[in-house]
Amino acid sequence: MTVYGQFCPVAKAMEVLDERWTLLVVRELLAGSSHFNELRRGVPKMSPALLSKRLRSLVRAGVVRRRDADNRVQYELTQCGRELAGVVESLGAWGVRWIGELGEGDLDPHLLLWDLRRRLDLDAMPRSRTVISFVFDDVASQAARWWLMVAGDNADICDYDPGFDVTVTVTTSLRTMTRIWRGDLEWQQALGARAVVLSGDRAARRALPGWLRPGAFAGVPRPVAG
Amino acid sequence: MTVYGQFCPVAKAMEVLDERWTLLVVRELLAGSSHFNELRRGVPKMSPALLSKRLRSLVRAGVVRRRDADNRVQYELTQCGRELAGVVESLGAWGVRWIGELGEGDLDPHLLLWDLRRRLDLDAMPRSRTVISFVFDDVASQAARWWLMVAGDNADICDYDPGFDVTVTVTTSLRTMTRIWRGDLEWQQALGARAVVLSGDRAARRALPGWLRPGAFAGVPRPVAG
DNA sequence: CAGTATCCATTTCGATACTG
DNA sequence: CAGTATCGAAATGGATACTG
């Protein structure tokens, strides 16, 4: 943390928050991650050393509490940290409105599946085991096939065929699926344009868009041109 | 700007905003500054080279527009930039609630006077020339005395005696005046505890707290203990 | 699981001075 | 007024490997 030499509350806040990665770690904590390796999944490009360092800074700043619970280390937001929700929300709303262009490097199937899993609408899904298979036609073959498995209250993602019957297969580009997640594109449009193709039984195909909820900022209205 | 390799809108926003000083420059633009040296007054500890660099980044990101107007360079927020108001507000609200401790280095009489001037309630002030003199008893003598002069719609600050009759003299510590600005302390309490002493004619003394409006985040409710 | 340790290329930025 | 030029110390953080 470097100091700005200003008493302004915005400056004092940024002293804590402006370091690279910091607010993304807070975002992960707000989203419910609490163990070190769980946090890592949300910020996979961050080295463990740096994550560790940032967590220590956040503890020192009073944003995060580190606890030993059940022989596991657990990180949780303090009241102070939970109140960063407003900051993260306004950043995300601004970002989704004004930063529409994603580079190839921004696309990441693992992160996308990880968040789709987190936001699954379990109540809308069948009670029986459900397996959604994703085929991304624009990425290297090792990263092109993913499975999202739901059994009861448990959901897992997998980058190899888990061997269960597939309920629905979603064939699309990673970019299109990401745009749906961001709310840049509606399921109906994407399906109509055949940018996404579903296969599986009819009822499941119709229901699938309701299972896969878009990201938290998808509902933010977009700037109207002109 | 360094990239996070994430499609998340929070990450995309932080790619633009997480660099040191960036959001403080945006704050200044939101507060109405538009010329280079005017911006510098709001971020005096920033070198001109760095301010220039950040402004160019913001232009590239579409947040700021640079124009030549009347043979002067002018910076202004685009619509995209104006919508950062929500981000700056949530940061300031969080900062004023949770970062209450200010180091000596955070106190700055020039910045404080600069914002008091900006927030003066001209309508509440006498029509005749009004001069408020500040005496800070906790700073080195070169920075201890300041004058805030108002004539008509024009207000200026001065760190040397401008020679006009003083309407009210405010004697206090820089820290106390800063706490009032932040909303950590009310005028009434500060005056009652004689942490601030006013001199001048009675009517002006009573009116002065109404002239000097506190900072934009002073009204944010503070966490209740326990 | 939850981190440390080490290394070093790169970046950053503060200070200071200068310019059309 | 609105920046640019230059320099060097310090920090940053990515890569990689390792540990109790």
Side-chain angles (χ1 to χ4, degrees):
Chain A
M1 184 188 86
T2 321
V3 133
Y4 283 115
Q6 297 203 355
F7 53 83
C8 166
V10 178
K12 295 304 288 178
M14 287 310 277
E15 286 182 0
V16 175
L17 303 173
D18 72 354
E19 274 181 315
R20 201 163 142 68
W21 294 109
T22 298
L23 272 172
L24 303 193
V25 173
V26 171
R27 177 200 68 192
E28 287 307 301
L29 289 161
L30 283 166
S33 292
S34 60
H35 300 293
F36 192 85
N37 287 334
E38 199 178 3
L39 288 165
R40 288 199 67 186
R41 250 168 285 202
V43 283
K45 304 247 165 73
M46 192 180 188
S47 78
L50 193 51
L51 173 56
S52 171
K53 184 178 170 183
R54 287 291 184 272
L55 284 167
R56 264 179 278 127
S57 297
L58 288 169
V59 168
R60 203 156 37 81
V63 172
V64 166
R65 186 167 25 239
R66 181 189 194 272
R67 301 199 328 202
D68 268 47
D70 319 323
N71 292 346
R72 293 191 68 185
V73 176
Q74 182 162 358
Y75 294 95
E76 56 186 23
L77 293 167
T78 60
Q79 176 61 24
C80 162
R82 285 192 295 275
E83 288 190 19
L84 285 170
V87 171
V88 171
E89 278 158 27
S90 54
L91 280 167
W94 183 82
V96 88
R97 265 175 80 80
W98 295 103
I99 323 252
E101 266 148 63
L102 300 179
E104 290 303 308
D106 295 328
L107 306 180
D108 182 328
H110 196 328
L111 270 178
L112 182 60
L113 270 284
W114 179 246
D115 199 71
L116 286 174
R117 192 213 79 135
R118 181 149 63 193
R119 300 184 56 81
L120 274 177
D121 188 353
L122 293 177
D123 295 336
M125 300 190 65
R127 296 190 188 285
S128 55
R129 181 196 309 282
T130 305
V131 177
I132 305 168
S133 145
F134 291 84
V135 180
F136 298 126
D137 54 29
D138 60 341
V139 299
S141 59
Q142 326 85 284
R145 307 221 46 191
W146 296 81
W147 288 262
L148 189 45
M149 294 169 298
V150 187
D153 280 353
N154 249 331
D156 279 304
I157 65 175
C158 216
D159 61 357
Y160 54 87
D161 188 342
F164 298 113
D165 283 351
V166 168
T167 315
V168 183
T169 294
V170 182
T171 304
T172 183
S173 66
L174 176 56
R175 185 173 286 276
T176 297
M177 193 62 229
T178 301
R179 293 184 62 216
I180 292 174
W181 180 91
R182 282 184 36 113
D184 293 337
L185 185 61
E186 300 282 338
W187 278 107
Q188 289 318 315
Q189 290 176 260
L191 290 166
R194 300 194 66 73
V196 176
V197 174
L198 304 181
S199 62
D201 82 61
R202 181 182 171 79
R205 273 163 24 218
R206 298 192 59 151
L208 177 126
W211 304 343
L212 298 177
R213 283 185 288 215
F217 303 106
V220 173
R222 305 313 156 93
V224 272
Chain B
M1 183 187 86
T2 322
V3 134
Y4 283 115
Q6 298 202 355
F7 53 83
C8 167
V10 178
K12 294 305 287 178
M14 287 310 276
E15 286 181 0
V16 174
L17 304 172
D18 73 355
E19 275 181 317
R20 198 162 143 68
W21 294 109
T22 298
L23 273 172
L24 303 193
V25 173
V26 171
R27 177 200 69 193
E28 287 308 301
L29 289 161
L30 283 167
S33 294
S34 60
H35 300 293
F36 192 85
N37 287 333
E38 199 178 4
L39 288 165
R40 286 198 67 187
R41 250 169 285 204
V43 283
K45 305 247 164 75
M46 191 179 188
S47 78
L50 194 50
L51 174 57
S52 171
K53 183 176 169 186
R54 288 291 184 273
L55 285 168
R56 265 180 277 127
S57 297
L58 287 169
V59 168
R60 203 156 37 80
V63 171
V64 166
R65 187 169 22 240
R66 181 188 195 275
R67 300 197 330 199
D68 268 46
D70 319 322
N71 291 347
R72 293 191 69 185
V73 177
Q74 181 162 358
Y75 295 95
E76 57 185 24
L77 292 168
T78 60
Q79 176 61 23
C80 163
R82 286 193 295 275
E83 288 191 18
L84 285 170
V87 171
V88 171
E89 277 159 26
S90 54
L91 279 167
W94 183 82
V96 87
R97 265 175 79 79
W98 294 103
I99 322 250
E101 265 149 62
L102 300 179
E104 290 303 308
D106 295 329
L107 305 180
D108 182 328
H110 196 327
L111 271 178
L112 181 61
L113 270 284
W114 178 246
D115 199 72
L116 285 175
R117 192 213 79 136
R118 182 148 63 193
R119 300 183 56 80
L120 273 177
D121 188 352
L122 293 176
D123 294 335
M125 299 189 66
R127 295 189 189 285
S128 55
R129 183 198 307 281
T130 305
V131 177
I132 306 168
S133 144
F134 290 86
V135 180
F136 298 126
D137 55 29
D138 58 343
V139 299
S141 58
Q142 327 84 283
R145 305 222 48 191
W146 296 81
W147 288 263
L148 189 46
M149 292 168 298
V150 187
D153 279 353
N154 248 331
D156 279 303
I157 65 175
C158 217
D159 61 357
Y160 53 88
D161 188 343
F164 298 112
D165 282 352
V166 168
T167 314
V168 183
T169 294
V170 182
T171 304
T172 182
S173 65
L174 176 56
R175 185 173 287 275
T176 296
M177 194 63 230
T178 302
R179 292 184 64 215
I180 292 174
W181 181 92
R182 282 184 35 114
D184 293 337
L185 184 62
E186 300 283 339
W187 277 107
Q188 289 318 314
Q189 291 174 261
L191 290 166
R194 300 194 64 74
V196 176
V197 175
L198 304 182
S199 62
D201 82 60
R202 181 182 170 80
R205 272 161 28 214
R206 297 192 61 152
L208 177 126
W211 304 342
L212 297 178
R213 282 185 288 214
F217 303 106
V220 173
R222 305 313 155 93
V224 272

